[in-house]
Amino acid sequence: MGLSSRLTTGGRINRDRPLRFRFNGKDYQGFDGDTLASALMANGVRVTARSFKYHRPRGIVGHGPEEPATLVQLEGEDASSNCPATTVLLREGLSARSVNCWPSPGFDLGGVAQVLARFLPAGFYYKTFKWPGWHLFEPSIRKAAGLAPAPAQPPSSGHFEARHAHADVLIAGAGPAGLQAALDAGRAGKRVFLADEGSEAGGSLLNRNLTIGGRPALDWVGDAVAELRGMESVTHLQNATVWAYREHNLLMVNERSPEQGNILERSWRVRAGEVVIATGATERAMVFGGNDRPGVMLAASVQAYVNRWGVAPGKRVALFTNNNSAYAVAADLAAAGIIVTAILDSRKHVPQAALDLVPDLQVHPATVAAGIFGHKRVRAVLAAPPSGDIPKWIRCDVLAHSGGWNPTVHLWSQSRSSLRYDEGLAAFLPDGAVQNCRAVGAAAGQMTLDRIVAGGADLPYAIEPLWRVDVPVQRGRAFLDIQNDVSVSDVHLALREGYSNIEHVKRYTTGGMGLDQGKTSNINIIGTVAMQQGEPIEQIGTTTFRSPYTPVSFGAIAGLREDSVLFPYRHTPVTQWNKDNGAVMYEAGARWQRPGYFPKPGESLQEAVNRECRAVREAVGVYDGSPLGTFELKGRDVPRFLDFIYSNVMSSLKPGDGRYGLMLTDDGLILDDGVVFRLDDHRWLLSTSTGHADAVNQHMEKLLQTEFAEWQVMITTVTSQWNNATICGPHARDVMQALGTDIDLSPQSFPFMSIRDGMVAGFPARVARVSFTGELSYEVNVAPRHLRTLWDKVMEAGAPFGILPVGSESSHVLRVEKGFLSMGHEVDGTVDAYDLGMGWVMSKTKPDYLGKRSVMLRRAGRATRRELVGILPQDPNRQIPEGAPLTPAGRKEATEGLVTACVWSVVNQCWVGLALLDNGHARQGETAYVRLQDEVIPVLVTKPVFHDPDGTRLRS
């Protein structure tokens, strides 16, 4: 089929680049710049779909996301379901098929539903299919109820992506109002995020012949886009729909055609300081008999096909309107050489400005369209004067109708901002803003270009609302919702059955519940309800505007879900240094990335860990301790708060001193362990394990907000405010002296479990003497911006002493040798401090602390307890898997414990381990048995410490 309806000139298509495509198994040709809808129309394809419920023939109605009739299923590499043909950009080899019809939209066996229409009114499914049981009918109903099936396979190439952005101003829409707002914000130096759903900027200006300052309006658009492109602070996206407005100015944007060819779609989460809603307005339909027939189109869409795509939707066009905008359409059609047979205007008095645009066209005031002659195409429209005069048929092959314009307030309403009804515009407009947002342009009710851009020339907008045609001679069913086959009679039925609330009407009839979300129909439904109930339309109100504004693919919502993209990793300033030096990176908890070990070429994990451990035990090592949770507490009630949340006494600490402690939950189990330092009389520093930092923060805040609201305790998270390099080993003090510091490092002046402020390597630092390895250690805390330079200086100063970077694998070995507990190993949710041999940390002097009573009650039962012990395999070269069970005599029966850790000890030159064993403290010196699937390993039960039991080295 040739391009029978393509105009010889005009449009923004590239006629030098033809594109071949298939629709319903037939081959067609279009041009670069076409949509599937414009290409079908250019090829003379008029019946493009069947309706959802009655399978009535349907054609193209709109030109954008408001399209209610023609949904297609894309095939092949583009496989996607239920896409409006008006939003599908044409490309070479595109293949699409109509949905909800078989074998074709021209001949659909499902059309038999039209004969049964009187038995299938709104809500019929609520009253039928109940006997003998729903499940008898369910398979057939579900098959008939759907539209297109989901694609059978994911795309063979490319991926979806999720990205985050922050902006001073997010602007939704790149029409004249959006572009003007972006120019104003960009010129002020603000970070601007401009997103528009169209393939190119300009909005309604792409479809109309308007001028700005005496020049074509599209020249102004080109200049604006070029200026924005030159602003580094502006992000400008086309084919990107702002589809959801969340709390605190978080907006979701679906970018459908990213510049990177390997990305299918990109989902943006944008946090904006201000949101400018420049989403324009949507033309609403007129409601009259036969208004769903192929060839009955929105007037502005007819104008768009002529001006933007160079397509004549028909040869003889009639128009039906209640407002001025249709007259500009008629003028453009006449200028393009299309015969305009008549303009039916429901208003008695047509403004002179509108008449002046069409001096040579036949205008029929106080006249409505009462019916359509034609089944699969329009052949004539019945023009009926409300006065009772004899109606007459007017020949045409397209009826373009315009019922007025609804500001696109979906995003405004999603922000929870209010709406008001404007009598002059017969539309709901933005009212009071809840979040920091504002509406501009047509979205704010500014319906003409001269009110949006200085120098714009436009026809004044005037309207007299007509919610539905109501004349005796009306022929055929009048549809309110074209997509879901909801007619005026359906709404009347809902009202008769008691569903008077507009939300109930929506659900009973399914009006506005389709993929188009009722963009062209919702206000007409509200107006019809108002007419029937005799109430003002503002009393009826609107239904809830829910996201998404337009359908969004599941792939785009999910984004890329692999590696660290789902939940981004947290990094320290030396992460890159670690990677550059060969570190194998691990997650250390709370999404922090830390090095696991630093293998040399050809070195195994065990060899690398042994080398790092020997460096710490015999020379010196350094590790990045920045991810440890750190909180600063301030206030007069901090001492008694710490005494309550820790099991031992913290209030007796003097400034500069620290103490290790356990934090319990209210059921007496161990929540976390850490060190508390007193900085001065009213400031305290609290450290936690990396993985439990957030839980500890929530724990403290909950207590302060619910139990001790009157206490003066302020908590500040400083985990990322301080980063540290922890220097550990016998030569740690030598390295500190080589770095240069004004802190007295002598054991007498700077003992274990104390903290000092001073200068280290030329940087302001806070140095703590704590040890997680059992060796002399200095935790040097500096500002994050200084850590990388400090790290380089540490490595340089430590080189003469054999310093090595240490990973978490080696830290694990060193802590097991020393018998230090790990929250992820020995603390399993059942043991308490006494079980771990740490009864000394449970205060005997405090009258109470969180979890004390629960611990005492649990231990009062004198049940068998699993207690922490050390284990030595009888075969010193036999490694035991962590988590392996201990059973009596190695028999296959209930366990009496488990191995929590097993490492190769560089100090003892054998495998050593820790375990939780029933009555373990009393069984030291005995033999226990580890049962594996195919063997039993005897182990010697020992004290849970294998190195420096007196702590001499860490206190040196």
Side-chain angles (χ1 to χ4, degrees), residues 333-365:
L333 296 181
I338 298 172
I339 299 173
V340 179
T341 58
I343 302 176
L344 313 181
D345 197 321
S346 62
R347 299 173 294 180
K348 291 183 178 180
H349 304 288
V350 180
Q352 189 60 44
L355 295 173
D356 290 343
L357 272 182
V358 291
D360 300 324
L361 300 184
Q362 194 174 28
V363 177
H364 299 273

Side-chain angles (χ1 to χ4, degrees), residues 283-287 291 298 401-404 466-467 480 520-521 524:
E283 192 171 31
R284 61 176 177 251
M286 295 290 264
V287 181
N291 64 336
L298 294 174
H401 58 118
S402 174
L466 177 66
W467 303 119
L480 290 160
T520 63
S521 62
N524 284 333

Side-chain angles (χ1 to χ4, degrees), residues 669-670 826-831:
L669 299 177
I670 298 173
E826 289 70 48
V827 181
D828 68 346
T830 66
V831 298

Side-chain angles (χ1 to χ4, degrees), residues 194-252:
L194 173 62
D196 183 81
E197 66 187 2
S199 59
E200 57 181 322
S204 62
L205 300 183
L206 296 168
N207 311 323
R208 306 178 63 192
N209 292 321
L210 297 177
T211 61
I212 298 177
R215 302 168 56 212
L218 290 179
D219 289 351
W220 177 88
V221 171
D223 294 343
V225 171
E227 183 176 349
L228 292 172
R229 189 181 301 117
M231 297 179 182
E232 294 184 359
S233 62
V234 174
T235 299
H236 181 185
L237 303 180
Q238 291 296 143
N239 282 312
T241 302
V242 183
W243 60 270
Y245 196 146
R246 305 294 194 223
E247 294 79 3
H248 308 294
N249 272 14
L250 176 66
L251 292 100
M252 318 298 286

